[in-house]
Amino acid sequence: MKKKYGYAIVNSGEKAIVYNLEGQARLVDGPQRIFLWREKIEMLKRFTASQSEYLIVKFRDGRVEHFNGPCSMFRVPTLHDTIRVRKAITLDAHEAIVVYRHNGDASERTVERHLIYGPKMVVPKSNEWLHTFCWHGVDPENKTRYIAASNKFTKLRLVPDQFYYNVDEIRTSDNGLVRVKLMIFHEIHDVNAMISATDDPIGDIISCICADVTSFTASRTYADFVESSAELNDLGNYPHLTTMCKASGIRVTKVVFRGYFAAPTIQSCHDEAIDKRTGLQLKFEKEQQSQEMQDRELSSERERIARAHQLEIDQLKQKQKLESTQEKHRLALEARKETDDLERKNADRAAQLAHAKAKMDHTIAHYEQLRSLGVDLTQYILNEAAIPEKVTKIVSGKEGRANPSPNIHFHMGSSNHNVAL
């Protein structure tokens, strides 16, 4: 602000406030040229918010209002106490914020809690404020060490997450000091339950993990712990952790045992014992392999002899099969030849019979034709028959003789020969 006499210019798009001697103020919008007489002029500051911003305006009477962008406003000292430009809250698909809102008048104000999930761009209202989380955070110098209240944020990540943690200075039942290395997988599945049950779920998880690992280790000797350390991968060995998760809306899906670290003296003794045990184990395995090799050689020899015998038997069977096949083939050829000969003879006989029958049928038809013509068939047949060169007749003896003996007469041509029997 400065005192000025004479003319003053307020450019286009600007605004100014002018005070007189009595302290009264008036606003001047540009473009304008004004005359000042014993007055003070002050150019007003413009505050502008883009689409991803908003303005927080605090009035002189104590009211606070938020104006969503895009917008612009001049700060008028007689009306506004402060004007601030703030970025809108952008939420990804796996993020959420917790918003508190008070309702009612100044005497009776009730507060409500709301969850807003992404993806979304949020501009809080004047009667709303965000919940600020304050959890254990990772030590920048050691990722397995956590510092209380070092992680402050307003956006919750709702996707599964994991972190490394080492449980240090855990003693076994034989007073061995070990460090257990773990990797914990967790996720938030009920935000309201988590906010109501705990202020720092990571700290609660760490405390429960320490309690469960201490209980697991204290009930075992160092050697037993080394042998059963793989059981730390099972969630059943973390009763305090699982009980806490049920009540706080946190789900621990898996705990991975990444190994352990022991004091140098204990580790040295354990390594020496491991070396001896390993040497004995190697000696035992060597002897066992030698015995197994001998057994395999004997078994292979036995199998080789059995295969040779089986090969001889198979060769004999094959030879017998071949001979049997050849004999069957020879018999089949002979049977086929006999069958062909028999069929040929039957065919010839059938042809002869058919020819004879045809000839006889022709003769009978000829005789029938002759008979129909009135020809004496008996005489015709005798005439057609060939005259024999010799005729032999057998005639009985004369009657009346005592003890007659038969006579046989041979008529050969014109001479007769009688033979008495």
Side-chain angles (χ1 to χ4, degrees):
M1 181 184 296
K2 58 183 179 178
K3 184 184 293 186
K4 188 174 181 182
Y5 298 92
Y7 289 94
I9 297 176
V10 180
N11 295 324
S12 176
E14 293 182 349
K15 182 178 287 190
I17 185 169
V18 179
Y19 297 94
N20 60 19
L21 291 177
E22 296 178 355
Q24 297 176 346
R26 59 188 176 92
L27 296 177
V28 178
D29 293 328
Q32 194 174 152
R33 183 170 179 265
I34 60 175
F35 179 77
L36 300 176
W37 173 251
R38 303 177 69 181
E39 291 177 323
K40 298 177 182 178
I41 185 170
E42 180 181 353
M43 303 301 296
L44 300 182
K45 184 178 180 181
R46 180 196 297 270
F47 293 87
T48 303
S50 64
Q51 290 88 344
S52 60
E53 296 175 332
Y54 65 99
L55 298 178
I56 302 177
V57 181
K58 183 178 180 181
F59 292 89
R60 298 294 294 269
D61 58 1
R63 292 181 297 110
V64 177
E65 293 185 9
H66 293 184
F67 296 91
N68 297 343
C71 64
S72 64
M73 182 179 294
F74 289 95
R75 177 183 174 273
V76 180
T78 57
L79 298 177
H80 308 134
D81 191 2
T82 58
I83 296 178
R84 291 173 295 175
V85 180
R86 291 289 182 267
K87 290 283 186 181
I89 302 171
T90 56
L91 297 177
D92 293 337
H94 57 272
E95 293 179 334
I97 58 174
V98 180
V99 178
Y100 294 97
R101 179 184 306 145
H102 62 76
N103 299 317
D105 55 10
S107 59
E108 295 183 1
R109 286 186 176 180
T110 58
V111 178
E112 298 177 354
R113 184 172 62 200
H114 300 275
L115 293 176
I116 300 178
Y117 298 92
K120 194 173 185 181
M121 181 176 291
V122 181
V123 175
K125 298 179 180 178
S126 59
N127 62 337
E128 296 178 342
W129 68 96
L130 301 182
H131 181 92
T132 301
F133 298 93
C134 185
W135 293 358
H136 274 64
V138 182
D139 188 351
E141 299 180 357
N142 185 1
K143 69 176 182 179
T144 62
R145 184 174 177 270
Y146 277 71
I147 302 174
S150 63
N151 184 18
K152 296 182 180 180
F153 59 94
T154 57
K155 296 180 184 180
L156 276 176
R157 288 174 52 86
L158 302 181
V159 293
D161 201 356
Q162 71 280 335
F163 65 91
Y164 297 93
Y165 189 74
N166 292 346
V167 184
D168 294 327
E169 298 182 355
I170 304 298
R171 292 190 178 273
T172 61
S173 61
D174 55 354
N175 207 29
L177 193 63
V178 296
R179 174 189 298 162
V180 179
K181 302 177 181 180
L182 300 173
M183 185 176 183
I184 299 97
F185 292 81
H186 64 92
E187 63 178 334
I188 302 173
H189 71 92
D190 191 342
V191 179
N192 286 318
M194 181 197 69
I195 296 175
S196 301
T198 179
D199 292 332
D200 187 357
I202 298 298
D204 294 343
I205 291 175
I206 291 174
S207 300
C208 294
I209 285 287
C210 292
D212 291 329
V213 173
T214 301
S215 177
F216 179 87
T217 307
S219 61
R220 291 169 171 81
T221 63
Y222 182 78
D224 293 338
F225 169 77
V226 173
E227 293 180 359
S228 61
S229 59
E231 297 179 8
L232 289 173
N233 290 305
D234 186 5
L235 278 176
N237 290 313
Y238 300 91
H240 294 87
L241 179 63
T242 54
T243 303
M244 185 276 298
C245 291
K246 291 180 181 178
S248 61
I250 304 294
R251 181 184 295 116
V252 175
T253 57
K254 189 191 317 183
V255 177
V256 178
F257 173 66
R258 300 189 301 114
Y260 68 94
F261 177 79
T265 54
I266 298 176
Q267 190 64 38
S268 177
C269 295
H270 184 65
D271 292 342
E272 184 178 353
I274 290 175
D275 291 339
K276 292 181 180 180
R277 186 164 57 250
T278 304
L280 293 175
Q281 183 69 23
L282 291 175
K283 185 177 180 181
F284 172 77
E285 292 178 356
K286 182 179 179 181
E287 185 64 25
Q288 187 178 15
Q289 290 176 358
S290 177
Q291 296 294 333
E292 290 179 355
M293 184 62 68
Q294 293 180 6
D295 293 341
R296 289 179 181 177
E297 290 178 356
L298 293 175
S299 178
S300 299
E301 184 67 23
R302 183 168 59 251
E303 292 178 358
R304 191 180 299 110
I305 294 173
R307 285 198 297 270
H309 291 169
Q310 186 64 35
L311 182 60
E312 293 178 359
I313 293 173
D314 292 342
Q315 289 177 350
L316 292 175
K317 288 182 177 180
Q318 185 66 21
K319 185 177 180 181
Q320 292 176 357
K321 185 178 179 180
L322 182 60
E323 293 176 352
S324 175
T325 302
Q326 291 176 350
E327 184 65 20
K328 288 180 179 179
H329 183 65
R330 186 183 63 80
L331 294 175
L333 291 177
E334 292 181 356
R336 185 174 179 181
K337 183 178 179 181
E338 293 292 335
T339 302
D340 293 342
D341 293 342
L342 182 60
E343 290 178 354
R344 186 168 55 255
K345 291 179 180 180
N346 291 334
D348 293 342
R349 188 177 297 110
Q352 292 176 1
L353 291 175
H355 179 71
K357 184 176 182 297
K359 185 177 180 180
M360 185 176 292
D361 292 339
H362 178 72
T363 304
I364 292 172
H366 179 65
Y367 289 161
E368 289 290 337
Q369 187 177 7
L370 292 175
R371 187 175 62 179
S372 62
L373 295 175
V375 177
D376 186 1
L377 294 178
T378 302
Q379 188 62 37
Y380 177 79
I381 293 171
L382 291 176
N383 292 332
E384 288 291 327
I387 299 174
E389 295 179 355
K390 298 179 180 179
V391 177
T392 303
K393 294 182 180 181
I394 301 174
V395 185
S396 65
K398 293 181 179 180
E399 298 179 0
R401 291 182 180 179
N403 297 325
S405 59
N407 292 325
I408 300 174
H409 301 276
F410 293 95
H411 300 275
M412 301 178 66
S414 58
S415 60
N416 295 327
H417 299 279
N418 295 327
V419 179
L421 297 178

